[in-house]
């Protein structure tokens, strides 16, 4: 399942069992939830770099997230992560 959401403020209250930090960010490592297996995030502020929450962020963070999600990633897709 892919969920696309946009907005001006974070609200993860609808995700049952999600643990957030004191600022309301979900506990994760580069977008992989630490608390709920199979839950992934993209576009979070400083998910991996300052660009993560910009329009360019998903193209940089997406190839990394594909692997823990069990998706095949081509080496060319990973070039952006090494830059």
């Amino acid at each position: 399942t892919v969920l696309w959401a946009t907005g001006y403020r974070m609200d993860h209250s609808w995700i049952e069992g999600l643990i957030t930090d004191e600022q309301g960010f979900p506990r994760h490592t580069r977008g992989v939830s630490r608390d709920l297996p199979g839950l992934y995030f993209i576009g979070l502020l400083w998910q991996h770099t300052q660009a993560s929450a910009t329009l360019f962020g998903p193209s940089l963070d997406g190839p990394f997230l594909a692997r823990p999600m069990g998706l095949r990633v081509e080496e060319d897709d990973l070039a952006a992560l090494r830059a």
Side-chain angles (χ1 to χ4, degrees):
T1 300
V2 174
L3 176 65
W4 181 282
T6 62
Y8 296 99
R9 60 188 155 112
M10 290 189 308
D11 179 8
H12 298 103
S13 63
W14 57 274
I15 303 173
E16 194 171 311
L18 182 68
I19 299 171
T20 58
D21 65 16
E22 60 279 349
Q23 296 176 330
F25 288 95
R27 292 174 7 124
H28 69 94
T29 301
R30 287 196 70 183
V32 179
S33 174
R34 294 183 193 164
D35 305 303
L36 297 173
L39 180 62
Y40 306 92
F41 300 94
I42 196 157
L44 295 176
L45 186 64
W46 283 99
Q47 179 170 317
H48 179 62
T49 67
Q50 185 177 10
S52 292
T54 70
L55 291 175
F56 302 104
S59 67
L60 301 172
D61 296 334
F64 174 83
L65 282 174
R67 284 196 169 147
M69 293 172 74
L71 303 173
R72 187 168 164 237
V73 179
E74 300 294 332
E75 279 302 311
D76 291 343
D77 296 332
L78 296 176
L81 296 174
R82 293 189 193 109

